[in-house]
Amino acid sequence: MTAGARLLVEALVRHGVDTVFGFPGDTSIALYDVLRERADIIRHVLARDERHAGFMADAYTRTTRRLGVCEASSGAGAVYLASGMAEALAASVPLLAVTTDNNRRSRGTSPISEVDQDQLFAACTKWRQTVERPADIPALVARAVAAATEGRPGPAALIIPEDVLEETVPLPPQVNAPERPALVPGRRPAAPPEAVRAAAGRLDAARRPV
């Protein structure tokens, strides 16, 4: 058996993530417990608040060509993180935001710090998903990494309720499979050869090419 938080950290490690920028909160305790245990292989950089975490991850991606990962807890933490995500979306910078949320049982009961993170991130990410089952975490991390790094790059958000992080499930068999490293750029389709030849021909025949 393994907890959702451990599945998350192990999935990040398999994708080559070695640094997470964040600011801990009450809904992310299970995640930070595992990050502490795996400090030998994945580094946590404490930000002053979640706004800084988003921009730190942005700068990390731009300077290292490795996918920047930032973390925020529910409520104001997610709201603060959105500003950095909006900048990354406008600048086509791939990021992975991992946000924790309130317990699924408290949805719709107006718990403290309740924010609809799906709607919040709708305007500042190219992909977002709420995790409903711990066993889905490895596959959704893979989808988030692909969404952030492929095509036109941009931020992806993975929203995980705190009880999903705490819940234990049998170890999924796919977690031991190697994953493609989260490097930037990701997979990019090649231009059609005929289009390349046509463009080269026009440039070759141009009298005053720019």
Side-chain angles (χ1 to χ4, degrees):
M1 302 292 284
T2 189
R6 189 169 301 279
L7 288 174
L8 172 61
V9 172
E10 296 300 333
L12 293 175
V13 169
R14 286 195 311 279
H15 279 282
V17 173
D18 61 2
T19 305
V20 174
F21 302 90
F23 189 83
D26 58 338
T27 57
S28 60
I29 293 173
L31 171 59
Y32 274 85
D33 283 343
V34 180
L35 285 174
R36 177 180 54 81
E37 294 174 10
R38 298 308 309 271
D40 59 324
I41 197 168
I42 187 166
R43 175 180 61 142
H44 178 265
V45 178
L46 179 65
R48 292 300 181 99
D49 65 29
E50 295 83 0
R51 290 169 295 189
H52 296 86
F55 287 106
M56 290 162 77
D58 181 303
Y60 180 85
T61 297
R62 297 184 195 227
T63 56
T64 67
R65 294 188 61 247
R66 298 174 68 89
L67 181 66
V69 178
C70 48
E71 176 276 331
S73 56
S74 62
V79 173
Y80 280 177
L81 189 63
S83 58
M85 304 296 283
E87 167 61 23
L89 181 66
S92 298
V93 175
L95 295 181
L96 172 58
V98 176
T99 63
T100 53
D101 205 356
N102 291 331
N103 193 299
R104 288 171 295 174
R105 294 188 299 274
S106 66
R107 286 175 179 165
T109 63
S110 299
I112 188 171
S113 75
E114 182 176 40
V115 171
D116 187 331
Q117 294 189 37
D118 185 73
Q119 289 193 25
L120 172 67
F121 293 130
C124 60
T125 61
K126 62 174 289 191
W127 183 94
R128 64 196 184 281
Q129 182 71 48
T130 299
V131 182
E132 297 293 345
R133 301 187 310 157
D136 295 336
I137 290 176
L140 289 176
V141 169
R143 288 181 57 189
V145 169
T149 59
E150 296 179 5
R152 178 181 177 180
L158 202 58
I159 306 161
I160 312 179
E162 61 177 332
D163 58 311
V164 173
L165 289 173
E166 296 166 354
E167 186 178 338
T168 58
V169 294
L171 186 66
Q174 68 266 30
V175 300
N176 292 318
E179 302 285 358
R180 184 167 55 86
L183 301 178
V184 180
R187 187 181 300 112
R188 301 291 177 85
E194 61 275 11
V196 174
R197 284 192 294 269
R202 291 191 178 188
L203 288 171
D204 185 55
R207 297 180 60 187
R208 299 177 64 185
V210 177

